[in-house]
Each structure stands twice: as C-alpha cells, then as structure tokens.
Amino acid sequence: MHAKFSPEELAFQAEVRNFLSTHFTPELAARIHEPSTFKEATIEWQKLLDNQGWAANGWPVEHGGCPWTATQKYIYSSELAAAGAPDVMPMGIKMVAPVLYSYGSDEQKARFLPITKRSDIWWCQGYSEPGAGSDLAALKTRAVLDGDHYVVSGSKIWTTYAQYADWMFCLVKTATEGRAQQSISFLLIDMKSAGISVSPIISIDGDHHLNEVHLDNVRVPVENRIGDENKGWEYAKALLNYERTALSGVAYCKRMVRDIEQLMQGSHSGFGLSSSDDIKARLADIEIDLMALEYLELSVLNKLDKGKAPGMESSLLKLVGTELQQALQKLRWDVTGGFAGVTEPGTTGIAPSEYLTQSHQIRREYMFGRAATIYGGSNEVQKNIIAKVGLGL
Amino acid sequence: MHAKFSPEELAFQAEVRNFLSTHFTPELAARIHEPSTFKEATIEWQKLLDNQGWAANGWPVEHGGCPWTATQKYIYSSELAAAGAPDVMPMGIKMVAPVLYSYGSDEQKARFLPITKRSDIWWCQGYSEPGAGSDLAALKTRAVLDGDHYVVSGSKIWTTYAQYADWMFCLVKTATEGRAQQSISFLLIDMKSAGISVSPIISIDGDHHLNEVHLDNVRVPVENRIGDENKGWEYAKALLNYERTALSGVAYCKRMVRDIEQLMQGSHSGFGLSSSDDIKARLADIEIDLMALEYLELSVLNKLDKGKAPGMESSLLKLVGTELQQALQKLRWDVTGGFAGVTEPGTTGIAPSEYLTQSHQIRREYMFGRAATIYGGSNEVQKNIIAKVGLGL
Amino acid sequence: MDFTLNQDQEMLKTSVDRYFADCPEDKNPAEMWAEFAELGWLAMPFSEDVGGYGSSIIESCMLTEAMGRNNINSPFLSSTLLAGKLLESAPASDIRESLLSALLAGEQQCSVALFENSYADTLENLNCKAEKTSEGWTLSGRKVLVDNPAANSIIVIAQTGTNADSLNAFVVSADHTDLQKQILALMDETQVQNLAFNEVKLPASACLFPEGGAANALQMVMNESIIALAAEAQGAMDALLKTTVEYTRGRKQFGVAIGSFQALQHRMVDMFTHAEMTRAMILRAQCAVLDKDANLPMIVAALKALVGKKSRQLAEEAVQLHGGMGVSEEMPIGRYLRRIMMIDASFGNADIQRRRYCQLRYDSVA
Amino acid sequence: MDFTLNQDQEMLKTSVDRYFADCPEDKNPAEMWAEFAELGWLAMPFSEDVGGYGSSIIESCMLTEAMGRNNINSPFLSSTLLAGKLLESAPASDIRESLLSALLAGEQQCSVALFENSYADTLENLNCKAEKTSEGWTLSGRKVLVDNPAANSIIVIAQTGTNADSLNAFVVSADHTDLQKQILALMDETQVQNLAFNEVKLPASACLFPEGGAANALQMVMNESIIALAAEAQGAMDALLKTTVEYTRGRKQFGVAIGSFQALQHRMVDMFTHAEMTRAMILRAQCAVLDKDANLPMIVAALKALVGKKSRQLAEEAVQLHGGMGVSEEMPIGRYLRRIMMIDASFGNADIQRRRYCQLRYDSVA
C-alpha cells in the first residue's frame, strides 16, 4: 500500500504542468472569465486540449480517448484545477458522447463524435422541465411520430448555455401509457430547427447561464433518435452516475483555500491569519474534511482501476464535495469584509484593489455555487440513494 | 416594553435567595447528590419547600399553590438553578397532581393531593412500554374489569425512580376496539400491590435511575381510575404539554457556563480562556444561543401571563433547550482534558484534585443528559409537532 | 417585565406593515422618501426638543423589519437612525440644528463615513486624521463603503489626536470640491461610495463634538442602528421562511408535495427555530436599550453574531429547498439572500462580532 | 498509488477479524494476552533484528480496528505499539534487549508515562525532571493518566535539561519501592494510574537514549499509536452505525419501522458519511507513514481532530436513534460511546489537535 506516484506518473504530471504553463495563458484565462468572450475562448481552449489529445480523454481509445489509469485522470484534473484552467464543457464531451458511443448507430457516431471532440459543435442538455427537477419520470415534453419525423412540443428548463448551443440532447415522452421510465426516448435536436425558442433565466449571481427552451411542434428526424424508442431513460441513467463522480471538486477546493490564505494576509480584511485562532479554526475544519475527501476520492478511483464499478460512492463524493465547496465559497466571501459584495467598482481607485479585482469571481462562485447541491440530482436525492443502496434502508 | 424587574419582583427574588442560602445547605446538597441518601434527602428538601409554601407553587391556589405571575415563576426557577438546588421531583407535584386536580373526583383529590404536596408519597410514571416510546397509542398493558377491580397485566419501561415509588400513575388499555386513543384509561396503582415487580435498568452513566415495572394480574380498585374510562389519553396529553415547558433549562445552562469558565482557568486543562480564541468561540456560540433562548422563554411566559395558552412554543423551548444543555455538557466534559472520564479516583491524591471532585457530576450529567432529547417526547417528535402546528406542513 | 406593545405602537405597526406590503419594489426613492416625511417617520425617532416624536428603538425596528420583509431599500437606517441620531447626540450648534431640521423634514439625507479598510474595522483602528488649523480643520485619509451616495452631507469620523477620546465627527458637504469619490454598486442593489480626503479644508464649525464625547455617542447610535439592521434581517428571514413553506407545500415531486417529506419538514423546523431565536435576541437587545443596560455593547455583539449566522443559514436553506427556482431570479429568494449577506457584512460580520463578544465577555475574566 | 492489501495482509485481516468477533467481552486479560503472543501479534510490528515480523502500521491497525468494533480492551496499543516501539527505536542496550524480548514473548507488559496535568499536555510543556548523579539518575515530578497499571515496567518521559532535545526516557520497574501510585478507573472500563516521583533513584542504565533523540523517537511512535487509536475508533463507529441501521429497521413506531422515516434516514446517511471520511483519513495517515511523508505530524493532528469530532457525533446520534435503549445498558451503545470519548480525550482531544494542526499548518504562513 502506498500513495506515492510512480516515476511514470510523475513524468505525466510534469507533462500536464508543462502543457498548462505554455498553453493556458493569463490572457486566455481572462477571456474565458469575461462573459462577452466566454464562448469563443472556451472553444479555443478546448481545441488546444484536443490538439494535445486530451479533450476527450475519458472516451474509449478507438474514438480518440486516452488509455489513462484512474491515477492519471486524478493527476490531470488536479493539475487543471490547480492552474485554474477549466475542464471541457461537460455537455458534449462528457455527457452526450458516452451515450453516443455506447448506444448510438455507426452513422450517428461518425456524424457527431468527431465534431464533438473537436469542439466544432456546442451541446446543451434538455432533461429538466418546469415541474420536474430531480424527478425525470414526471417529464411532459411529447414527441409524436409523423412519418419519418418526431413532432416535439414542450419546455425544458435550467438548460445551461442553451443560448450558445448548436444541438440539444433531450429526453422526450414517446408513449402515453406504461411506466414513465419505459416511455421516454433520447433525441438529438438541431437548435436551428423551426419552433425552438430560448428564453434566458438570470441566476442569482446576476449572470446568464441558464435558459428555458420552448419546443413548439419541432420536427426532428427519426434518425436523430439514439437507440430504441422508449429506452431513453435507461441511456440517460447510465450517464447520470458519470456526472456525479466528476463532482467532488477537491482541486477546486484547494485553490479556494489558497485564495483565502492570501485574502487573510491582506491588511484590510480584519481576519489576519496569525492573530485569530477562531478563523484559523474555521478554515482548519474545512481543510481537514478536504484532506479526508481527497483520499475518499482516491480510494474510489483505486477501486475503478481495479475494475470495480462505482456505486453509491459517487453520491457520497458529490454530497461531501459540494458541501465543502460551499463552505469554502462562504468563507472566502466572508474574509473580504464585505468587498465581495461589490458588483460594479466604479472608476477611481480609492478602495483596496486586492479585493475588488477578485470580487466578481468570489461573489459569483458563492452565488451560483448554491446550485451545486441542487443540480446533478439534489443532495437530498443523493442522501436517499445512499440510504437505500449504502445502508439498505 | 421593558425587561426590568419591578420592585415587588426584586423583593421576591431577594426572598427566594435568602431562603435558599439558609435552607439549601452544602450538607443537604451533598446528601442529595449521594445515591445512598438521595431519596431521604430529596424528601427532606421538598418538605422544607412545602413548609415555605413553595413546593406546589404551580397548583391552583385553592389546593395550596402560589398566585405567582409568570415572571415570579421564572425568578423562582432561575434562583433555584443558580443555587444548584433541585426543583421538586416532577412525577408527583408536577405530573400527576395537575391530572388529579383537573379530572379527579373530590375523594381522589382529598386522598392524594395533600400527601403529594407534603412529599409523603413518592410517585412514578407508567407511560412508556417496551416497543412504545414516543408513540403512546401503541400501548399494550391491559386492564380488564373484574367486579370493582381492574386486573392489570403488562410492562412499563424507562420508569424513573420506580424503585423508590409508593404509587404509580399509569396508562392502560381498557378497550380492544376503537381508535387507540379512545381505549386508554388513567389508573393510580399502589406499588405494594401483589403482582408488581420492579427490575432496574442501569443507564449509560452507570447509575440506577430507570426501571422496568412488570404488572402480573395486579388488582386495582375501580375507584383509582381518574375520570372516565377510555379517556386517559386526553388527560395525559394535557399534561405532556406542561412537561415540555419545564424543559428549556436556561438557568441550568448558565450554571454549566460558570463551571466551564472555572475549569478553563485551571492550570491543568490546556484550554486557558485567555489564550485560545477557538475555545472561547465554541463557548461563545453556545452562550449567545442561550441569551436568545432565555428571551424566547421569557416571551412565552409573558404570553402566559397575558392569558394566552402555550402552543407549539413548548416544543420549541424543549428542542432548543435540550440541544444547548447537551452542547454545554459536552464542552464541560471536554475541558477537563480527560479527567471527567474517571469513575473511581482511588485513594492517594496525585491527580489534580479540582477535576476529580467534579468528575462524577460532569460525566454523569453528560451521559444521562443524552436522554434529554429522548424523553418527554423525543426531539424528532417535537419537530414533527412544530412542522404541523407551527408551519402547517 | 412586560413585552407588550402600547396602543400607539400597535397602531404604528399596522400602518407601517400596510405601507410596505403595498409598496412596489421599484418605487421611486425620492417619492418614497417624501412619503416617509409626510407620514412623520423621519421625525419619529428624535426627541421633541428637535421637533421629533420621541419614539424608541421599538418603533424604528418596526420600520426596518417591514422593509426587510418586503425587500425594500431605503436610506432610513443610514440617514435617520445613524447620521440623524448622531447629530442629535451632539451639543447644540448652528450646523446641528439646520441639518437636523432638513433631515426631519425629508429635505436632505445624510450619511456617516466610518470604515477605512472594510466593514471589519473597529472604532479602535481608524486612521483618518483631522488636524486643527487657524481657519478650522484639515481632513486627510480614506473612507470606504460609505452608505448612500445620494446623501447631501457626510459625517466623517476622524482622529484629532492619539488618545482614546480623540475621535470626532465632521460634517462635509457631499459637493465639497476637494472630495474624491468612487461609487460602488453592491449586490443588494444599493450603492455605497469610497471617499478620499487629501487635505480637505473645513470650517471650525464642521466639528460636531468640540468638547469631545464623539466616540461614546457614535457607539450608542451604532448599537441602535445594528439592532434596527437586525430587525431588517428578521423581516427577510420571516419572508423567506414563509415563501419556502408555501413553495414546498405546492411543489410536487415523485407524485407528492415535497413539503410532506419529513427530512425537509425537519429542516424547515430548523429554519423556524433560527427565526424565533433571532426574534428573541432582538427583543433582548431592545429591552437592553430601553432599560439602559450597561451590557448593551456585549448584547449587540451577540445579536449581530447570531443574526448573521442564523439568517445566512436560513437563506441558504431557502435557496436549497426552492431547488432550481432558488438559484434563479424568477423568485426573489436570491434578492433576500444577497441583502442578508450584505447585512451580515455591514458593521462587521458574525465572526468579527463573536470575537468582539468574546473580548467584552471573557477578557476581563481570564 | 495503490491501496490494496497484499496477500499476507488479507489473510491476517481474516484471522484477526475472526478472533475478535468470537472473543467474549469479559475474557480473562491474561489469557487474551497469552493468545496474542501465541498468534505472533505481540512480535508482529517489530523488526526482524529484535525477533519481530516487520509488519507495518497497516497490520497494527487491523488489530485495533477489530478491537474497536468488538469493544475489547487490551494493552496492545499502550504496551506493544507505544512502549514497545519506543524501546525498539532506542539504541542497543541490555535493558532494551531484555525488555523487548519479554514484551515480544508476552511475558511482560510495559507502559509510557507521558502526561503530567491532563491529556491536553504536549511534549513541549513536560516538567518531570531527571537529574544525572554519580550513581545514575534521580527522577522527580508527577505523571498522570498512565495506561495499564498492570504493566511491569514504566517508561517515564522526563526533562534532563532545558533545551529542546533534553527530553529522555527512563525505565522504571512498576514495583520500585519509592514509586507512589494512585489507580483510577475510567468510564471505558480500563484503568490508568497517576504516579509521583519524589527523588526516585535509578541506575545509569535506566536511561534509554544516552545520546539524545528521545523526543523524535517518541513523536514518531506517538504518531503511529494515534493512527492505531483512530482505527480503534473506526471499528467502534462501524459497529455503532451497523447496530443503528439494524435497530431502526426493526423498531416500529406509529405503525412503521422508524428506519423508514426520511429524516432519520438522512441522519444515518450523515453517520455513514462520518465513518467513510474517517476511514479515508486513516488511509491517508497510513500512507504518510509508509511513504515517509514529512507532513506526517500535521496529518496525524488532522486525523485525530477529525476522528474525535466525527466519532463522537456518530456515537451521540447512535444513542439518539436508539431512543430509550440508547441511554440504557441493555445495549452496548453506551459502552461504545464511553470508549469513543476516552479515545478522543487521549493524546489531546479534537480541539487540541485542531490547534496543533493550525500551528503546523498556518504559523509559518502568517
């Protein structure tokens, strides 16, 4: 038993670091953070990753994935987060692609996988509906067969970055009777189709990430259905588990710890690290939990490497990881002494600049971070899963 | 609006203090704490209170109660707790007596109220049964009418101080059909009756407070039934609310805060108050909650004085009060650096004596204090009540 | 001990609650201010000597609590309760009388410039300097997060020397030409400003406390302002709890109302408990003011710590229990959360207040 | 990175788990000790040089975890892992070899006398003095809460001077006539003793580290002992969670199993989360030992803080969810809780450990 990296793993770590320091420039980082350049800069960054062969690292090797061990995946995502570099947008490469290569036809694979890998198309996810959040069985969007097309009508909600999307992957009802789970199909829909309209939902950080997508008699070719009719729920479920394992966010948390240490050393916060045992204790409680979470994640990865499938461990990682993220987002907001509440800093520079430069990010991550315990199956749903699967209750 | 005591209230406070300083002697306190003299010393103390006219202060004046305002009741119980003096054992004066004077016959009142007030008999409460804790509707102890007697068989559990009791007040099933709540009667049972046996339950503090009482064809005269047959549940319910208002324990909590301050100033704890912001913060969090709880209780009392009945407020006071008690019991245990874990200190005095002298009390109150969130309707049941009554859920 | 409102207070409460419940969120601020003046609310907390009605902290909290409940921003706290009451506590002077009369009539607004680094500052670490000159005073330094850039006058807190009572208060006109300003928008939809004083000249009359005593007066009005601010948070907490209970009663998932799930019920009970605890602590602090309790500073620190902690927990739970609706601007949950966060930050957050409480409570003991 | 056990470890785990699951709670301690010796467990953690099998922290934790799970008290940790390993880390000497051979054979037990005021002491504030004389050493001072009064020898930690490395370790026979003893019973059904040394004379050979280095050696064996102690707590946590889940599945209230109430389910999930977090942290600390991580002291402080906090929360929840049964001795819940509380207290509780973590983690930073 050991936790040390092997020479090969250390070499891989150095390779990732080297790539990041040369390709993830401060200029690129700034353009990704700025809403007006977010989309183009994100695509540019994903293409850089793809040129390196890393964009679709989780895919099967035959489709362009990397033959990485779980340890390598851990190193890769840790280094990305440590550098503050975003991972690829999940909707295409991480969410629809596994469904495509697992259940899609050869034509569908050939058509969509390469352009998804190259970030030539932007995907959005059409699962949630008004009135059906964590409960996908309550979906109402209907797809009625009309010749070689489905006619789709309904609404999807909380659709992340639908305003940028070229395509949507979507769960729709294709049968009116039978169990809800056996009446759902998985469709790919071109966002330029007639009858689609996207209305923005402003979220509590004041930004526009989310949307409602209205479908009004949208005609979708039958060939855009993945797998069998009425089996979409099964395909989507396999994918949900994947979504959760990606959510523990230890490396992101570590970066916030560094931010907090720096902020607390600033002369302005009133929370000097050296002088206040109570604030050190608050940070230490979180950091200690984080140390444990890191090894909880590593031990799950270790099991994956040994060929065991992740069960409710992914629920556990999501639960603990998102709670720690929120605790750190809160503490980081707090140590600015109110300055992270500034949304527009005005012109002249009287205020302590070290807070104002970070204020936008600190506030936005705190605010939108509240969603982390809601999306991807709310933490209450994760607890239900653990109670059932983990404890047999 | 003001929180100050009036001159009359201040005079009353002085009267109580004076009584306590002259009558609640250290010698009496020691005998109450010592298990072998607990019963006789407790009765002696209650008789002193009764001589002063205070033992049954909550009773209607015509039965010997005091015409106190809610503020006076608050002053009285605060002063008692501040002096470390126990209130009367609740089972007789506070629990069965209200049922007696509210629903008992004139004969029952004349027979039981005076001797209960004088502490000439010791009562115990027979509600809980094995398999029916907070759920009184699941009672199984049967009382079958046979001439002018009930024949009672079954078991009661968690019966506090049944080993000392002369009489038990008891809920029994007197009907086999109909709603559980309409098949229960309220009986007074002489503990010397044939067929009663008491077996001790040792609790996690190692002491003997609790018992299981077995009833094997015990003959109870019908005249010992309170009120109507099958209405016992109603009488008991009215009493449960009373039990809860008595449970916030602010004054007891304040005494523990003082203990903790003293322990932390000792040279041995490693938790010096002056040097450690983190431990001060832990104590401060509890103390601040306690400051709020005190006024929450006062505002409930204020409403009572204005003639309003307490509703789910008593559940709220029990919930918050017991949680704070447990938090303080835990902190007080912690600051002894392990010494409160000592059950027998041996003979020679090498160890720091300031911890060992208090060790028994600190450990016992922590341990048996775990029961505070369980008895009198568990805190989970209180939350159900608040959700229903307070929030309309 | 008596916690009941008198008849006048009951009546005021009814009209205040009605006014704010009917007040649209985007009401024109100048119009609202004029209505406050008309209703007498801007004169209410002042003594009859200066033309007020002599009401107490109870009445002030009725206003702020109703604003909090209805998510309404107003300079009432910063201009009337903080700046106005600080002016009132100063000895008689021309500038005091003229400013007070304009404030009470609703013709002007005023603001106190206190913090220099962040809301975490305490009165002990202020560095802004006022130097006495032959013509009057010269002000140098920086102030940050000063409430209400629309205020006509700013009362600047500055050091005139080095001893404990050398803090003083200086009235500066908002349009003073030597004043550098940076206006900041905050996430609760209010604005604040940072101010730089580079040897700003003031007349001798600008000094409000020529005989000293500003620190004590400031501490007292800050204490009362913090209680009123806590009442605003209370209003927001009550509104959030109410909307959460209603939402979970109506929202269905897996075929039943989510409000019927016991785990969520118990969490709403925790929210309820938080709100009842803060309400009781506000009552305690109000009584401490009315009873002139010497422990007021400690009680106020405890109050601000408690309200900061509990209100944020409650607001975060309200977001969580609203699910996707909670993180969108479709419902006002986010607005309440942002306001609650800014209330916690103002005058020093829960961590800072708890530390202050510990100093006042234990430092003499240990 | 590889967290799998090797084949020998898997086999050991099977036999250890079986032994303790079958071991009655009231088993005669001397008999158990003889069986430990027979099974080779008392020699296991030592190097082959001194007759051991060279096993690691992993194997030691298997034993303590199984003891924790089955609520079995044994001097294995204090005698073998703490005293024995401290002896092993001393340079060769007659006393070392003879004591080690007696320990490995199970013929004797040994204990380390460390604390002087309470478990909250740290190595930096020890005052017990050892003075060098022409005949050997003179020991003065007090030790408290010394494990296992049945131990035949006691290794007393004492100061020989004033500099950082003047700490040393002295072997004292438990029947030394000048030793004053006070035996204390603890609530976890173990015993400890307090010792007073009033100029106790020892031969020169009693000193285990004549060339210094005792503090480092002691720190290392304490680190490993704390990890083994955490594993014992882990065993107790796992047992408590298991019995709580089983109890709530069987126990009916209001007509249904209380384990079906969602609020209780979510609280059991919190208990499960606590147990998985501590397990992961023990893994981290074990790896830090095996990988000779320089951050081991910081990781061990974090581990002890985490285990203390989470195990006590879990045990208190186990009591609560067992209702009346939880506060009676009808079930072993209380025994587990008491043992967990004593484990938290030993070597400094969660508060003390967090403070140590903060010192090691932030003091160089700020």
Side-chain angles (χ1 to χ4, degrees), chain B residues 212-244:
Chain B
E212 190 162 349
V213 178
H214 309 279
L215 302 113
D216 180 17
N217 289 306
V218 177
R219 294 187 71 83
V220 180
V222 170
E223 71 216 49
N224 289 1
R225 189 191 69 224
I226 304 280
D228 295 337
E229 195 173 72
N230 296 332
K231 288 210 174 158
W233 171 264
E234 206 176 284
Y235 311 145
K237 250 179 85 170
L239 195 151
L240 276 181
N241 247 342
Y242 178 82
E243 195 185 348
R244 275 174 214 136

Side-chain angles (χ1 to χ4, degrees), chain C residues 32-100:
Chain C
M32 198 190 323
W33 200 247
E35 290 172 0
F36 279 23
E38 215 168 284
L39 288 158
W41 295 346
L42 301 180
M44 200 172 68
F46 296 93
S47 68
E48 291 171 25
D49 301 352
V50 298
Y53 304 142
S55 78
S56 72
I57 183 71
I58 306 295
E59 288 84 351
S60 301
C61 286
M62 284 177 187
L63 261 80
T64 55
E65 188 180 324
M67 290 179 203
R69 187 161 45 244
N70 297 287
N71 218 329
I72 283 161
N73 292 324
S74 153
F76 175 74
L77 199 150
S78 69
S79 178
T80 306
L81 296 184
L82 189 57
K85 294 289 284 179
L86 182 60
L87 274 169
E88 187 189 19
S89 64
S93 71
D94 287 351
I95 199 165
R96 170 183 182 269
E97 321 310 325
S98 69
L99 256 178
L100 271 178

Side-chain angles (χ1 to χ4, degrees), chain B residues 78-91:
Chain B
S78 299
E79 292 301 325
L80 242 62
D87 201 351
V88 294
M89 281 285 115
M91 293 84 76

Side-chain angles (χ1 to χ4, degrees), chain A residues 1-4 71 261 265 274 280 283 285 287-289 291-292 294 298 302 306 320 383-384 392, chain D residues 1-4 249 262 266 269-270 273 277 280-281 284 290-291 306 354 357 361-363 365-366:
Chain A
M1 182 172 313
H2 63 94
K4 275 196 175 151
T71 308
E261 283 182 74
Q265 284 163 53
S274 59
K280 273 192 267 188
L283 179 56
D285 276 339
E287 264 199 291
I288 290 171
D289 274 349
M291 288 170 74
E294 186 169 22
L298 286 173
N302 211 261
K306 301 271 170 289
V320 181
K383 285 191 179 185
N384 291 345
Chain D
M1 192 180 72
D2 182 9
F3 295 155
T4 44
R249 260 203 302 235
Q262 194 196 28
H266 283 198
V269 169
D270 290 340
T273 305
M277 290 286 274
M281 192 69 126
R284 180 169 202 140
L290 297 174
D291 294 345
L306 186 83
R354 188 180 59 186
Y357 174 84
R361 171 73 176 80
Y362 307 121
D363 280 5
V365 180

Side-chain angles (χ1 to χ4, degrees), chain B residues 66-360:
Chain B
C66 303
W68 288 351
T69 61
T71 309
Q72 280 179 294
K73 285 179 195 162
Y74 172 76
I75 290 170
Y76 177 74
S77 59
S78 299
E79 292 301 325
L80 242 62
D87 201 351
V88 294
M89 281 285 115
M91 293 84 76
I93 288 173
K94 299 197 162 191
M95 298 171 86
V96 73
V99 178
L100 275 164
Y101 61 66
S102 305
Y103 307 105
S105 65
D106 288 343
E107 291 74 19
Q108 288 169 334
K109 289 180 200 170
R111 180 174 173 199
F112 289 108
L113 284 177
I115 52 176
T116 299
K117 180 167 168 294
R118 281 202 313 271
S119 299
D120 285 340
I121 54 171
W122 188 292
W123 287 92
C124 67
Q125 182 200 49
Y127 282 10
S128 291
E129 295 186 4
S134 291
D135 175 18
L136 295 182
L139 296 185
K140 289 199 169 58
T141 296
R142 294 274 294 121
V144 181
L145 206 56
D146 177 28
D148 54 359
H149 281 75
Y150 286 107
V151 180
V152 182
S153 290
S155 285
K156 295 292 178 179
I157 199 167
W158 316 129
T159 319
T160 305
Y161 296 136
Q163 74 266 41
Y164 302 139
D166 304 302
W167 282 79
M168 173 163 70
F169 58 99
C170 195
L171 293 177
V172 294
K173 294 272 283 186
T174 37
T176 47
E177 56 227 30
R179 287 180 55 224
Q181 289 89 334
Q182 285 152 1
S183 56
I184 287 171
S185 298
F186 195 109
L187 292 190
L188 309 181
I189 304 183
D190 188 334
M191 291 292 280
K192 290 183 297 293
S193 313
I196 291 191
S197 59
V198 175
S199 31
I201 297 174
I202 301 304
S203 47
I204 58 174
D205 57 350
D207 288 339
H208 173 201
H209 316 276
L210 306 174
N211 300 275
E212 190 162 349
V213 178
H214 309 279
L215 302 113
D216 180 17
N217 289 306
V218 177
R219 294 187 71 83
V220 180
V222 170
E223 71 216 49
N224 289 1
R225 189 191 69 224
I226 304 280
D228 295 337
E229 195 173 72
N230 296 332
K231 288 210 174 158
W233 171 264
E234 206 176 284
Y235 311 145
K237 250 179 85 170
L239 195 151
L240 276 181
N241 247 342
Y242 178 82
E243 195 185 348
R244 275 174 214 136
T245 25
L247 287 174
S248 93
V250 170
Y252 167 52
C253 286
K254 285 185 180 174
R255 193 155 53 78
M256 282 195 280
V257 168
R258 285 204 304 277
D259 291 349
I260 291 165
E261 284 182 73
Q262 279 165 16
L263 288 165
M264 283 171 75
Q265 283 163 54
S267 54
H268 308 300
S269 77
F271 292 94
L273 250 183
S274 60
S275 61
S276 43
D277 282 358
D278 51 348
I279 298 292
K280 273 193 266 189
R282 187 173 161 195
L283 179 57
D285 276 340
I286 303 173
E287 263 200 291
I288 290 171
D289 274 349
L290 195 57
M291 288 170 75
L293 175 63
E294 185 169 23
Y295 269 64
L296 192 57
E297 183 169 14
L298 286 172
S299 64
V300 172
L301 288 172
N302 212 262
K303 275 184 204 156
L304 288 180
D305 251 4
K306 301 273 170 290
K308 292 178 193 153
M312 57 80 218
E313 285 92 345
S314 52
S315 294
L316 187 62
L317 292 176
K318 199 239 160 172
L319 191 63
V320 181
T322 50
E323 279 172 9
L324 287 179
Q325 281 168 42
Q326 291 184 340
L328 282 164
Q329 285 159 345
K330 193 170 186 170
L331 179 55
R332 187 173 58 166
W333 198 92
D334 284 359
V335 295
T336 67
F339 270 104
V342 174
T343 51
E344 289 162 32
T347 46
T348 55
I350 299 171
S353 61
E354 63 262 50
Y355 294 141
L356 285 183
T357 51
Q358 295 178 60
S359 143
H360 178 68

Side-chain angles (χ1 to χ4, degrees), chain B residues 1-4 71 261 265 280 283 285 287-289 291-292 294-295 298 302 306 320 383-384 392, chain C residues 1-4 249 262 266 269-270 273 277 280-281 284 290-291 306 354 357 361-363 365-366:
Chain B
M1 181 171 312
H2 63 94
K4 275 195 175 152
T71 309
E261 284 182 73
Q265 283 163 54
K280 273 193 266 189
L283 179 57
D285 276 340
E287 263 200 291
I288 290 171
D289 274 349
M291 288 170 75
E294 185 169 23
Y295 269 64
L298 286 172
N302 212 262
K306 301 273 170 290
V320 181
K383 285 192 179 185
N384 291 345
Chain C
M1 191 181 72
D2 182 7
F3 296 155
T4 43
R249 261 203 301 236
Q262 194 197 26
H266 283 198
V269 169
D270 291 339
T273 305
M277 289 286 274
M281 191 69 125
R284 180 169 202 140
L290 297 173
D291 294 344
L306 186 83
R354 188 180 58 185
Y357 174 85
R361 171 72 176 83
Y362 307 120
D363 280 4
V365 179

